[in-house]
Amino acid sequence: MRTPGRWWRHKTTPEKVESYTRWSFHFFAVMEFFSVGLTSVAPLGPRLGTVAMLVVAVHAALCFVTVSRSVDWTRGRRPQPTVLMWTLAAVTAAIAAAALGLAELGPDREGIDTAAGGVFGVILIFGPGIIALGVRSRRRAFGIAGGFAAGTWVAAFALGAPALTALFTSLIVLIGGVFIAFTAVFSVWLLNSVYELDEAREARARLAVAEERLRFGRDLHDVMGRNLAVIALKSELAVQLAQRGRPEAVTQMVEVQRLAQESQREVREVVRGYREADLGSELAGAQGVLAAAGIDCTVGGATAAGLPTAVQSALGWVVREAATNVLRHGDARRCAVRLQVLEGRVVLSVENDGVSEAGPESKAGPSGSGLAGLRERLAEIDGMLEAGPAGQGLFRLTAEIPLPSRSGPSGAVPAAVATRAVSEVTP
């Protein structure tokens, strides 16, 4: 069963800001009903009070729906709720006029005047502010509040209120309406900014991947371009010499064979240099990438210096995958990397507060991607990998590799690790 806290933690930062914005304005509608809807029953009497409560409830429901549709329109999920906004404006004006008329022309009782004044003020302050959520222009948002304030002065003066009293009432409506409208405008701006920043962070991650692919492609082009051109030229020359029965064709084909073997060796060196990760460089790179994404990353514990090449390469891949998962699958704010060299083994742990990172393991396929690929890589050097929630919204990935004995080889990378296909990291 999903708990409310788990539901909130699984949201991304933009989704959290959107939920906060949406429910903040929903709370205005709820507060409107409880502050003036229910409290007007006693002073207005059972009949008139019930009518006033129902009318305020209808207005609050309209505000509730308008908030949802306006926020969806702001994010491009729905068309602009123009009809709903006009309906809310008309209902707001009608309720305010009725409340003002009741206060000016109704029974001369203090309770009635207080209740009617409360309905009048709250309706005219919250109504324009909610409508401001559904307009793009700031001038229009503040103009809506100004229009209702001007209408307040006209209606109050027409119903016989003194000019100064009508002016003071309209100023109160103007100040309250402008404040709620400003809150709506600022909230929409903040929500859009958070979404844009999140999209920029994703774009930065995609650009980093694309740049690395371009670098790898340039390296392969530099290595293979000249050799393939020479191979093609010498092969064509050998064909022509063979057609003429010249013995020099054999010499040219021997040269072609040599170039092909040399190209194969150079490609392996490029691939090996690309795939064998240096743990120190990977730790520094992960810290820089996460910091650029707004995630506080700390690296502590022992240093990578002195560890065997095979161990550094495997742990470097663990750091790469962990940093990628934090960026892609979680909504972390903090990440802690710790390296420990214990007796006969080395332990690397990566812990972050983005619990939704647990998803990648289920997506890892048999080709060696994701956490399943890391387990296969570590298993080749007798290592192990554990990943999962660690309580209190934390996700922990722990890799443990036994250190080779001093009598055995310490720097050689297992052949299976060194010769993995490039397709694991390039599509």
Side-chain angles (χ1 to χ4, degrees):
M1 182 176 180
R2 175 177 290 185
T3 61
R6 187 175 179 84
W7 167 82
W8 177 258
R9 289 194 300 269
H10 274 271
K11 284 181 173 291
T12 62
T13 298
E15 290 173 344
K16 290 178 180 177
V17 175
E18 180 179 344
S19 297
Y20 174 79
T21 302
R22 189 186 300 271
W23 285 102
S24 295
F25 283 92
H26 283 165
F27 178 73
F28 286 157
V30 175
M31 186 170 60
E32 173 185 291
F33 175 74
F34 283 99
S35 62
V36 297
L38 290 179
T39 57
S40 62
V41 175
L44 295 179
R47 289 187 178 180
L48 191 58
T50 302
V51 172
M53 182 183 66
L54 293 177
V55 168
V56 173
V58 170
H59 187 269
L62 278 174
C63 290
F64 205 92
V65 177
T66 304
V67 168
S68 294
R69 298 295 176 87
S70 298
V71 173
D72 288 342
W73 167 74
T74 299
R75 297 306 312 146
R77 305 188 189 108
R78 292 177 181 268
Q80 186 177 19
T82 306
V83 176
L84 189 60
M85 291 161 57
W86 278 108
T87 302
L88 178 59
V91 171
T92 300
I95 296 175
L100 186 61
L102 182 63
E104 294 292 337
L105 306 176
D108 189 12
R109 295 207 311 266
E110 183 178 355
I112 292 181
D113 292 344
T114 303
V119 172
F120 173 82
V122 171
I123 290 293
L124 278 185
I125 290 175
F126 285 169
I130 298 298
I131 296 173
L133 278 174
V135 297
R136 191 84 65 184
S137 172
R138 299 177 184 177
R139 292 182 178 180
R140 290 185 178 181
F142 296 128
I144 292 171
F148 274 95
T152 298
W153 185 86
V154 173
F157 188 74
L159 289 173
L164 289 177
T165 302
L167 180 61
F168 180 74
T169 304
S170 63
L171 283 176
I172 294 177
V173 172
L174 178 63
I175 293 173
V178 167
F179 175 76
I180 302 297
F182 171 80
T183 303
V185 170
F186 178 77
S187 299
V188 170
W189 172 83
L190 180 63
L191 177 61
N192 290 332
S193 298
V194 171
Y195 268 104
E196 290 173 2
L197 287 175
D198 187 69
E199 292 170 0
R201 187 181 69 174
E202 292 180 359
R204 179 184 296 177
R206 290 194 298 268
L207 287 175
V209 174
E211 183 178 354
E212 181 63 18
R213 289 174 178 172
L214 288 174
R215 185 197 68 80
F216 186 73
R218 286 194 300 267
D219 289 346
L220 284 180
H221 179 270
D222 294 341
V223 169
M224 297 296 296
R226 182 187 64 84
N227 289 351
L228 288 177
V230 176
I231 288 174
L233 181 62
K234 287 186 173 294
S235 299
E236 183 179 356
L237 178 59
V239 170
Q240 294 180 2
L241 291 174
Q243 289 175 347
R244 298 175 185 176
R246 301 284 296 275
E248 292 87 347
V250 177
T251 304
Q252 296 298 327
M253 289 307 299
V254 171
E255 182 67 12
V256 167
Q257 183 182 21
R258 185 190 67 80
L259 288 171
Q261 292 173 347
E262 181 181 353
S263 299
Q264 187 179 26
R265 178 183 59 79
E266 291 178 348
V267 168
R268 285 175 177 173
E269 290 179 355
V270 171
V271 173
R272 186 178 298 112
Y274 179 78
R275 296 191 54 77
E276 289 181 4
D278 177 71
L279 181 56
S281 300
E282 292 299 330
L283 288 172
Q287 191 173 21
V289 170
L290 294 177
I295 301 173
D296 181 21
C297 180
T298 58
V299 178
T303 62
L307 292 178
T309 304
V311 174
Q312 287 206 42
S313 178
L315 292 181
W317 273 100
V318 172
V319 173
R320 282 190 191 181
E321 181 68 21
T324 301
N325 287 343
V326 171
L327 288 173
R328 291 182 179 176
H329 306 289
D331 186 29
R333 295 182 299 273
R334 295 180 300 276
C335 180
V337 183
R338 185 172 180 82
L339 179 66
Q340 294 177 290
V341 180
L342 307 175
E343 183 178 357
R345 58 194 175 97
V346 58
V347 179
L348 174 73
S349 63
V350 182
E351 184 176 280
N352 68 87
D353 55 0
V355 293
S356 60
E357 187 190 353
E361 184 173 12
S362 62
K363 299 177 183 178
S367 61
S369 61
L371 300 182
L374 288 180
R375 288 193 174 95
E376 294 175 5
R377 186 182 300 274
L378 294 179
E380 292 172 355
I381 53 176
D382 298 327
M384 59 179 295
L385 180 76
E386 294 181 356
Q392 297 181 350
L394 298 178
F395 183 90
R396 182 181 300 134
L397 185 147
T398 304
E400 182 176 333
I401 301 176
L403 292 172
S405 61
R406 295 188 178 183
S407 59
S410 60
V413 181
V417 176
T419 59
R420 282 180 181 269
V422 184
S423 59
E424 285 188 15
V425 294
T426 56

